């Protein structure tokens, strides 16, 4: 569908997604509408009819009618549950499929780029790690956007049917609350958009810091980066507090609306019509309880939809971003350029001028020049990553490329070398020998099964470079492009590689070798000398070339260029190993890593704590002060729910006239001077008003505790990770750590806060309902006890399974983010080897 949109004048990602997923999404919407109908039908018709039957209403005085009503009420509840489950499952299925499709589209787009900027790469990683989750969450709540107003309107119409014009005050309350909910949702959306900049900035910095921890440790930058991240986090937390204030009064409005509306309607009805009856109050309260649901989900759905639309807009802009196309590599193996001028796409400050350059099969051409002379740009031009302005050029055959900065995947050395090619053990052993890796595989703890680590952190610079050489040699291309491929190895190893690999194994290949090691120039077939983006000389190594080179490449420059080489080592002849695992384990005690590298059991597991342990640490261990605030908040939670139960209890007293105030005509003290109706109304208003006021205190204490504990935990996590020994990063994938600081922290800052809030609210509602009904119907307590036991029994099996699945999800999500990040970093290598589709798949 996206491919079809790209052919239109105005492509739209939202339109493409709608065309692809409209049928399952509309089916889920139908189930949601069925849920809305059944829940309102059950609350009004069946509840009211059952009540008439219990009260021996003439229309419902037959015994069989009660059974029929009970059966239909059960069927209604069953359909309600099925519809909600199918709606949720349909939305989850669409959301998951949409995430996969967008991930595929992002990878195809980014992996096909001729070059990618640091900002674009960071955005792509952010899309995969964060924005796609927002798309998924938005799909889960999308049907509440249109059904919530319908449900609220239906409930208000039923109120008119029940109490006629006396429902108008209730309408007034609802029509005040609904716009305020929309306004509050708009404020939350606006504040979250402003906070997204802080969130993104913090994520980008962590994405830069974590893969480069070796440099952070080397230069002792821990304190600097800790203060920098804390400064950004402080701005982020300030806006989180603002969002929390808005949410507090929004939730207070949602849960305060039913009792306040009931107070207004019951008071107006009782003062102007007559005594309240249970057949009137009970259905109205049931409807108000249902009204609470759309009022709760509507702001949440608005926020989720806003986040989803903003994420889709950012992804669409990325997918529509102009990408310079790579020049095609076709024709016979070899390279030829004549009177060519190239420039990098999107830049005009540098141009590469080549009068004559060629490299045919069987030729070894060396390219020399000072730093910034344009040597690497020459290879980019050969690979088709530069824009050709003039001249004629051709490059053909399979390309084997070694970049100036060695690129490694966080895989085993063997996987890095084989690079998706068919396995050939004889060829592999020859490559290992030619690239002088035999001795290295002996000293590594797991031989060629040892993990290279993120950015090759587990290997030395020389090992990374020789591994890149081995990858190019195993690929066995027709043209070899070696960008300073011998700069990080010692003198003896460089001569070994030059002799065995370049001059022997690859003698029939076309080889372009960028080098600062002038001792190899006499052994090359031709030499190209470059300076300031211009090729000054191309031809055999002779006296003219020597004199020209001495002017553009002084001795001091050569010495500086050779400073990154490996130190000489004693390379004793190595006997071929039968199994890499028989090697002696590498001692890592200096970095506090007890287990050998590659032992998955030593790996940090971010979900290793049980749910109870994690909550205990979150509430009390990491932040004892906020644990005290949590206890105070829990007391307020109890007070709020208690006042709500008291108001319902008093309403029952009112409708049944349990105080006999209507019968005697005189209320008890202190209401002697009031009518019975006024006394009942005032007494009912006291717990209702207390309930609304305490909800504000409840929300304030909860957000104070939750955001304080989350911020304290983030500070501890940031400090511990920055000051962790380097061995910690050798053992733990940076992708998972990055998820902890981005996506998982976002969940703690927002999702966990809201989930704990609603857990406290609905948990106490459920508990109070069970207690209230059990006091009235003793037999119900046995049923409730059995239901609680069955629920706990199911949780015993559900929670471990869910924890393992979530652990697997976190690991795979971290692996995906890490894969996208390292793939974008090694994009030139992937494109040179024509492995784009391999990485997309």
């Amino acid at each position: 569908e996206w491919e079809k949109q790209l052919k239109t004048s105005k492509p739209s990602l939202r339109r493409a997604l709608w065309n692809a997923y409209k049928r399952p999404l509309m089916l889920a919407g139908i189930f949601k509408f069925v849920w809305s109908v059944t829940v309102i039908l059950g609350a009004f018709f069946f509840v009211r009819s059952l009540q008439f039957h219990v009260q021996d209403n003439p229309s419902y005085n037959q015994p069989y009618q009660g059974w029929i009503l009970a059966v239909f009420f059960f069927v209604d509840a069953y359909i309600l549950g099925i519809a909600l489950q199918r709606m949720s499952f349909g939305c989850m299925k669409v959301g998951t499929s949409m995430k996969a499709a967008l991930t595929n589209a992002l990878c195809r787009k980014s992996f096909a780029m001729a070059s990618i900027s640091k900002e674009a790469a960071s955005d792509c990683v952010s899309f995969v790690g964060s924005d796609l989750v927002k798309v998924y969450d938005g799909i889960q709540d999308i049907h509440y956007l249109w059904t919530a107003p319908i449900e609220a309107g239906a409930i208000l119409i039923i109120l008119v049917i029940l109490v006629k014009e006396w429902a108008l005050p209730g309408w007034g309350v609802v029509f005040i609350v609904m716009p305020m909910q929309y306004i509050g949702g708009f404020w939350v959306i606006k504040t979250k958009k402003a906070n997204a900049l802080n969130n993104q900035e913090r994520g980008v910095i962590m994405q830069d810091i974590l893969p480069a921890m070796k440099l952070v440790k080397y230069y002792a930058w821990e304190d600097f980066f800790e203060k920098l991240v804390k400064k950004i986090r402080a701005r982020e937390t300030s806006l989180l507090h603002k969002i929390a204030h808005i949410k507090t009064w929004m939730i207070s409005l949602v849960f305060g609306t039913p009792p306040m509306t009931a107070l207004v309607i019951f008071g107006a009805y009782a003062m102007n019509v007559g005594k309240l009856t249970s057949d009137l109050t009970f259905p109205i309260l049931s409807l108000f309880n249902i009204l609470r649901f759309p009022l709760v989900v509507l702001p949440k759905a608005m926020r989720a939809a806003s986040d989803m639309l903003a994420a889709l807009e950012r992804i669409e802009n990325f997918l529509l971003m102009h990408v310079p196309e790579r020049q095609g590599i076709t024709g016979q193996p070899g390279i030829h350029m004549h009177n060519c001028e190239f420039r990098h796409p999107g830049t005009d400050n540098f141009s590469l001028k080549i009068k004559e350059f060629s490299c045919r099969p069987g030729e070894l051409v060396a390219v020399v020049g000072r730093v910034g002379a344009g040597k690497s740009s020459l290879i980019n031009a050969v690979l088709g990553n530069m824009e050709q302005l003039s001249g004629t050029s051709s490059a053909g055959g399979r390309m084997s490329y070694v970049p100036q900065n060695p690129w490694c995947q966080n895989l085993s050395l063997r996987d890095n070398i084989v690079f998706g090619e068919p396995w050939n053990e004889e060829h592999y052993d020859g490559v290992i020998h030619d690239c002088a890796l035999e001795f290295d595989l002996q000293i590594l703890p797991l031989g060629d099964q040892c993990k290279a680590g993120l950015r090759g952190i587990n290997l030395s610079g020389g090992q990374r470079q020789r591994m890149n050489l081995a990858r190019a040699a195993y690929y066995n291309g027709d043209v070899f492009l070696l960008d300073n491929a011998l700069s990080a190895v010692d003198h003896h190893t460089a001569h070994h590689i030059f002799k065995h690999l370049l001059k022997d194994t690859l003698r029939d290949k076309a080889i372009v070798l960028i080098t600062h090691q002038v001792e190899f120039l006499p052994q090359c077939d031709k030499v190209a000398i470059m300076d300031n983006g211009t090729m000054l000389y191309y031809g055999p190594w002779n006296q003219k070339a020597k004199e020209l080179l001495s002017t553009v490449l002084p001795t001091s420059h050569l010495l500086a260029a050779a400073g990154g080489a490996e130190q000489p080592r004693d390379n004793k002849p190595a006997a071929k190993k039968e199994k890499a695992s028989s090697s002696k384990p590498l001692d890592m005690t200096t970095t506090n890593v007890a287990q050998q590298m590659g032992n998955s059991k030593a790996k940090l597991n971010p979900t290793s704590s049980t749910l109870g342990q994690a909550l205990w640490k979150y509430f009390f261990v990491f932040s004892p002060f906020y644990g005290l605030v949590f206890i105070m908040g829990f007391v307020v939670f109890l007070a709020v729910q208690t006042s709500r139960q008291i108001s319902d209890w008093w309403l029952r007293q009112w409708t049944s006239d349990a105080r006999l105030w209507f019968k005697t005509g005189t209320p008890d003290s202190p209401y002697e001077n009031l009518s019975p109706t006024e006394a009942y109304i005032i007494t009912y208003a006291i717990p209702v008003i207390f309930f609304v006021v305490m909800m504000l205190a409840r929300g304030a204490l909860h957000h104070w505790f939750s955001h304080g504990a989350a911020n304290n935990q983030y500070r501890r996590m940031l400090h511990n990770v920055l000051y962790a020994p380097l061995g910690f990063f050798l053992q733990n994938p940076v992708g998972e750590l990055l998820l902890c600081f981005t996506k998982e922290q976002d969940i703690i800052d927002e999702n966990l806060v809201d989930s704990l809030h609603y857990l406290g609210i609905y948990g106490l509602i459920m508990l109070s309902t069970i207690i209230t009904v059990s006091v009235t119907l003793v037999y119900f307590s046995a049923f409730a006890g059995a239901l609680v036991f069955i629920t706990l029994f199911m949780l015993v099996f559900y929670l471990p399974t869910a924890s393992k699945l979530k652990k697997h999800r976190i690991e795979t999500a971290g692996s995906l983010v890490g894969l996208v990040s390292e793939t974008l970093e090694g994009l030139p290598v992937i494109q040179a080897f024509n492995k784009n589709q391999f990485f997309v798949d």
Side-chain angles (χ1 to χ4, degrees):
E1 291 292 339
W2 178 241
E3 296 296 332
K4 295 179 182 178
Q5 289 295 318
L6 291 176
K7 297 177 182 178
T8 62
S9 58
K10 193 175 181 180
S12 172
L13 180 60
R14 278 184 279 179
R15 193 183 306 121
L17 292 173
W18 170 251
N19 291 337
Y21 299 104
K22 59 183 177 183
R23 292 185 63 183
L25 206 55
M26 290 175 66
L27 181 61
I30 293 174
F31 281 116
K32 179 63 178 69
F33 184 74
V34 171
W35 180 88
S36 301
V37 172
T38 52
V39 73
I40 294 175
L41 186 67
F44 173 61
F45 178 75
F46 288 115
V47 170
R48 186 172 173 83
S49 300
L50 283 171
Q51 193 173 25
F52 283 158
H53 176 74
V54 172
Q55 295 175 348
D56 292 330
N57 188 288
S59 301
Y60 298 90
N61 58 1
Q62 299 298 321
Y64 72 89
Q65 292 178 322
W67 285 103
I68 293 175
L69 288 172
V71 169
F72 274 102
F73 187 74
F74 172 80
V75 172
D76 178 86
Y78 184 79
I79 295 174
L80 184 151
I82 293 295
L84 184 61
Q85 189 274 335
R86 298 310 303 172
M87 185 275 292
S88 301
F89 177 76
C91 289
M92 289 175 63
K93 190 175 179 180
V94 170
T96 303
S97 180
M98 199 174 288
K99 276 181 63 178
L102 289 173
T103 301
N104 195 3
L106 288 168
C107 290
R108 288 183 180 275
K109 174 73 173 184
S110 57
F111 293 176
M113 291 182 174
S115 60
I116 186 168
S117 65
K118 179 181 176 182
E119 292 77 14
S122 177
D123 287 343
C124 187
V125 174
S126 177
F127 294 152
V128 176
S130 178
D131 282 18
L132 293 185
V133 177
K134 294 177 181 178
V135 173
Y136 176 85
D137 292 339
I139 292 297
Q140 307 313 300
D141 295 331
I142 193 170
H143 289 302
Y144 295 117
L145 285 174
W146 62 276
T147 55
I150 293 176
E151 293 165 9
I155 290 171
L156 292 177
I157 292 173
I158 293 174
L159 285 177
V160 174
I161 296 173
L162 289 174
V163 292
K164 301 195 172 40
E165 68 270 16
W166 307 112
L168 293 179
W171 276 59
V173 173
V174 173
F175 279 120
I176 291 173
V177 171
M178 289 288 284
M180 292 181 70
Q181 289 290 92
Y182 276 101
I183 293 172
F186 173 76
W187 283 348
V188 170
I189 292 169
K190 185 177 179 181
T191 309
K192 287 186 69 175
K193 283 185 176 180
N195 208 19
L197 299 176
N198 297 321
N199 194 298
Q200 186 176 12
E201 184 180 1
R202 176 171 58 84
V204 169
I205 290 178
M206 294 308 302
Q207 185 180 339
D208 290 338
I209 294 174
L210 291 176
M213 283 306 298
K214 185 180 285 188
L215 284 176
V216 174
K217 298 292 182 184
Y218 183 81
Y219 290 105
W221 284 340
E222 294 94 339
D223 184 63
F224 169 77
F225 282 114
E226 185 176 14
K227 290 180 179 178
L228 179 63
V229 175
K230 282 183 177 180
K231 183 179 179 181
I232 300 172
R233 177 67 179 173
R235 298 200 305 265
E236 184 181 6
T237 304
S238 175
L239 292 177
L240 285 175
H241 287 321
K242 183 177 179 180
I243 293 174
H245 296 326
I246 300 173
K247 285 183 178 180
T248 296
W249 69 259
M250 287 177 67
I251 293 176
S252 299
L253 278 176
V254 167
F255 287 91
T257 295
M260 289 297 295
T261 309
L263 174 62
V264 172
I265 291 178
F266 294 159
Y269 185 88
M271 292 293 293
N272 294 277
V273 177
K275 180 176 175 293
L276 283 178
T277 58
S278 60
D279 60 334
L280 184 68
T281 58
F282 191 69
I284 289 178
L285 286 179
S286 299
L287 291 171
F288 280 150
N289 287 332
I290 297 173
L291 179 63
R292 184 172 57 198
F293 182 77
L295 293 179
V296 168
V297 300
L298 185 59
K300 179 175 179 291
M302 290 175 61
R303 293 194 298 270
S306 173
D307 289 345
M308 178 182 68
L309 294 177
L312 288 176
E313 183 179 358
R314 290 192 293 269
I315 294 173
E316 181 181 293
N317 292 335
F318 181 83
L319 293 177
L320 293 176
M321 184 173 60
H322 174 68
V323 177
E325 295 184 0
R326 297 179 65 215
Q327 302 297 322
I329 299 177
T330 57
Q332 297 298 317
I335 304 167
H336 179 73
M337 297 180 180
H338 178 68
N339 290 332
C340 291
E341 184 176 357
F342 300 89
R343 70 177 179 185
H344 291 285
T347 61
D348 297 323
N349 56 355
F350 176 85
S351 64
L352 179 68
K353 299 176 182 178
I354 308 295
K355 185 176 181 180
E356 187 71 32
F357 180 80
S358 64
C359 183
R360 299 178 178 83
E363 287 186 339
L364 172 57
V365 179
V367 181
V368 292
R370 70 175 75 244
V371 175
K375 303 184 297 297
S376 297
S377 296
L378 173 63
I379 288 185
N380 281 324
V382 173
L383 291 173
N385 294 333
M386 294 186 70
E387 181 182 353
Q388 184 173 344
L389 303 179
S390 62
T392 59
S393 66
S394 63
R398 285 160 45 99
M399 297 288 174
S400 288
Y401 172 51
V402 176
Q404 186 174 11
N405 297 315
W407 175 70
C408 306
Q409 292 180 267
N410 189 18
L411 300 173
S412 68
L413 269 66
R414 176 182 292 185
D415 291 335
N416 271 281
I417 293 171
V418 175
F419 206 49
E421 291 295 300
W423 173 249
N424 186 326
E425 185 173 3
E426 183 179 356
H427 179 48
Y428 178 81
D429 291 339
V431 167
I432 295 298
H433 170 75
D434 292 342
C435 296
L437 282 169
E438 290 174 312
F439 181 75
D440 299 274
L441 297 186
Q442 282 189 346
I443 65 173
L444 290 173
L446 296 176
D448 64 357
Q449 294 301 317
C450 184
K451 295 284 186 180
L454 191 72
R455 295 184 178 176
I457 194 173
N458 296 344
L459 307 175
S460 69
Q463 288 172 333
R464 290 198 296 271
Q465 197 165 66
R466 284 179 283 123
M467 189 193 73
N468 276 249
L469 270 168
R471 176 197 296 142
Y474 190 86
Y475 184 71
N476 198 27
D478 301 310
V479 178
F480 279 73
L481 305 174
L482 312 180
D483 192 353
N484 228 0
L486 303 177
S487 61
V489 298
D490 61 67
H491 179 80
H492 174 75
T493 305
H495 279 268
H496 173 91
I497 295 173
F498 191 86
K499 175 183 177 182
H500 292 87
L501 181 64
L502 303 186
K503 298 295 289 184
D504 185 9
T505 304
L506 305 180
R507 60 184 177 272
D508 297 327
K509 308 294 184 180
I511 304 173
V512 177
L513 173 65
I514 295 177
T515 182
H516 291 289
Q517 291 147 305
V518 294
E519 66 269 24
F520 295 130
L521 299 184
Q523 303 180 59
C524 297
D525 298 296
K526 291 180 182 178
V527 174
I529 301 176
M530 301 193 66
D531 192 38
N532 294 327
T534 302
M535 187 168 290
L536 304 177
Y537 175 82
Y538 171 72
W541 179 248
N542 51 29
Q543 187 62 32
K544 179 183 176 181
K546 292 180 183 178
E547 293 175 358
L548 182 59
L549 183 61
S550 64
T551 61
V552 300
L553 199 63
T555 305
S556 60
H557 198 82
L558 288 172
L559 292 174
E566 284 182 312
Q567 295 300 315
R569 56 183 180 168
D570 183 18
N571 270 355
K572 297 179 181 180
K576 185 177 179 180
K577 301 179 294 181
E578 293 183 3
K579 290 184 179 179
S581 59
S582 62
S583 302
K584 183 179 178 180
L586 180 64
D587 186 8
M588 295 289 290
T589 55
T590 56
T591 54
N592 295 329
V593 179
Q595 303 293 330
Q596 62 185 17
M597 290 184 294
N599 182 0
S600 61
K601 293 182 179 180
K603 174 184 169 183
L604 173 69
N605 183 0
T607 57
S608 57
S609 299
T610 63
L611 178 62
Q613 292 171 339
L615 290 176
W616 176 258
K617 292 177 182 178
Y618 180 75
F619 289 157
F620 300 106
V621 177
F622 292 154
S623 48
F625 171 75
Y626 293 107
L628 180 62
V629 176
F630 167 75
I631 295 175
M632 295 170 55
F634 182 72
V635 173
V636 175
F637 267 77
L638 290 176
V640 168
Q641 189 57 37
T642 302
S643 64
R644 185 73 174 90
Q645 294 303 114
I646 291 175
S647 68
D648 289 343
W649 171 80
W650 184 255
L651 189 61
R652 182 183 177 186
Q653 299 284 308
W654 183 359
T655 56
S656 63
D657 193 24
R659 301 286 174 172
L660 302 178
W661 290 353
F662 286 111
K663 186 175 182 178
T664 60
T666 304
D668 297 335
S669 177
Y671 304 121
E672 297 91 347
N673 298 324
L674 299 176
S675 67
T677 299
E678 293 172 339
Y680 275 119
I681 292 174
I682 292 174
T683 307
Y684 181 65
I686 291 174
V688 169
I689 295 173
F690 179 83
F691 172 75
V692 173
V693 172
M694 290 303 293
M695 276 195 301
L696 295 172
R698 178 184 68 184
L701 283 172
H702 172 75
H703 286 105
W704 183 20
F705 142 73
S706 54
H707 284 303
N711 202 33
N712 189 45
Q713 179 174 279
Y714 183 85
R715 288 196 300 266
R716 289 173 60 92
M717 179 172 64
L718 176 66
H719 179 83
N720 290 343
V721 168
L722 286 178
Y723 286 91
L726 191 59
F728 174 82
F729 301 95
L730 304 181
Q731 291 290 99
N732 299 285
V734 173
E736 291 185 13
L737 293 176
L738 186 60
L739 276 180
C740 290
F741 281 99
T742 53
K743 175 186 171 183
E744 301 299 332
Q745 186 62 39
D746 292 344
I747 292 175
I748 292 176
D749 287 337
E750 185 164 355
N751 296 27
L752 181 61
V753 173
D754 293 342
S755 298
L756 288 176
H757 201 178
Y758 287 119
L759 175 64
I761 293 172
Y762 287 111
L764 289 177
I765 289 176
M766 182 186 70
L767 181 62
S768 60
T769 302
I770 291 174
I771 294 175
T772 302
V773 177
S774 298
V775 170
T776 306
L777 301 173
V778 180
Y779 295 109
F780 179 79
S781 59
F783 173 76
L787 188 63
V788 170
F789 175 78
I790 293 173
T791 302
L792 294 176
F793 181 76
M794 293 175 63
L795 288 176
V796 170
F797 296 97
Y798 168 76
L799 288 178
T801 305
S803 298
K804 287 186 177 181
L805 290 175
K806 288 181 179 180
K807 171 187 171 183
H808 181 66
R809 177 181 60 82
I810 291 173
E811 290 177 348
T812 52
S815 299
L816 178 61
V817 172
L819 175 63
V820 172
S821 178
E822 71 180 11
T823 301
L824 293 177
E825 185 180 349
L827 195 57
V829 177
I830 295 170
Q831 290 178 338
F833 285 87
N834 198 26
K835 292 289 185 179
N836 302 67
Q837 190 60 43
F838 173 78
F839 277 84
V840 170
D841 295 338

